[in-house]
Amino acid sequence: MDRALLILCVLLLNAAAFGYRWKRRCYAELRLPRFSRLGAALVRDLERRLNRDHRSLRERELRGMLLVVFAIVVSVLAGWLGDGLFTHNLRIVELIVLAAALPVRATWDDVSDIRKGLQAGDVAAARQVLEGTVWRHYAALDEYGAARAGIEMLAVHFSEKILAPAAWYMLLGLPGLFVSKAVYLLQGTLVRPGAEEGFASATQAVHYVLHYLTARLAALLYLAAALFLPSGKISQAAKQ
């Protein structure tokens, strides 16, 4: 119950103070590095070192599995250490870590900017929001492609970057949160279209298991939200 109440407070704090526009001002004025990109850069560097073309499929699968195990072990140890340190007077540190890890406001800002750009007829501005995301060819998207990207971003971020980490935190504390975030990072960095075998296969399997229940819960919440939309029809939402 304490963790559930803390998550509720964290979501409200993130919605109020951790918007993407706020972070952009910090990066520009304080010249801070984009820490969210450092993890992806590290994973890509490890992939270049471990996933060599001359190695056999079995060897690449094994190395990918070892990378996933390493990421999970490090995440569990870091979470266990955090659980031990962030007690009593340092509980505020845990709250800040959680608020930074659950991008409620950042997701809203991004999707809202895409919507505003499309409504204003400024497709270029809507596409620009997708810079640095998984949509690497965002500059070639038309207005319908940008709209679909925004909808997919909202759905994926809610399910995998907000709901899943929050659920695992409530179940296992900081180790659960860090493992969920680490697996999502590996999935977003290593898995590419058609990459069903090889180096990323272990990442795909762990990601599927870790997010199976939370993805279904997210779908149920989407259906529940459709009941409160003026133009929403739950039958059509269920078919989607």
Side-chain angles (χ1 to χ4, degrees), residues 22-37:
W22 175 85
K23 289 192 291 185
R24 278 186 296 193
R25 287 197 294 269
C26 286
Y27 294 141
E29 296 175 8
L30 302 179
R31 298 182 180 179
L32 295 174
R34 293 181 180 272
F35 294 105
S36 59
R37 297 182 182 179

Side-chain angles (χ1 to χ4, degrees), residues 46-53 55 60 63 198-199:
L46 290 173
E47 181 188 18
R48 283 192 295 269
R49 296 172 182 272
L50 298 174
N51 190 24
R52 304 287 187 179
D53 291 336
R55 295 191 174 105
R60 283 182 283 146
R63 288 171 179 267
F199 190 74

Side-chain angles (χ1 to χ4, degrees), residues 39-145:
L42 175 61
V43 172
R44 283 192 291 268
D45 182 63
L46 290 173
E47 181 188 18
R48 283 192 295 269
R49 296 172 182 272
L50 298 174
N51 190 24
R52 304 287 187 179
D53 291 336
H54 67 272
R55 295 191 174 105
S56 66
L57 176 63
R58 176 60 182 167
E59 190 174 4
R60 283 182 283 146
E61 288 178 345
L62 178 60
R63 288 171 179 267
M65 185 184 304
L66 291 176
L67 177 60
V68 174
V69 171
F70 174 76
I72 291 176
V73 170
V74 171
S75 299
V76 170
L77 291 176
W80 175 78
L81 182 62
D83 277 340
L85 292 176
F86 304 151
T87 56
H88 305 297
N89 294 335
L90 290 179
R91 196 60 182 259
I92 186 65
V93 179
E94 181 174 349
L95 188 144
I96 295 173
V97 169
L98 286 168
L102 303 176
V104 177
R105 181 63 179 272
T107 300
W108 174 263
D109 283 350
D110 284 344
V111 177
S112 179
D113 286 347
I114 293 174
R115 177 181 62 84
K116 291 176 182 177
L118 294 176
Q119 287 180 337
D122 191 351
V123 181
R127 291 194 298 243
Q128 192 62 35
V129 179
L130 300 171
E131 182 183 6
T133 66
V134 295
W135 288 272
R136 295 180 176 85
H137 304 291
Y138 68 93
L141 295 176
D142 58 10
E143 58 182 318
Y144 300 103

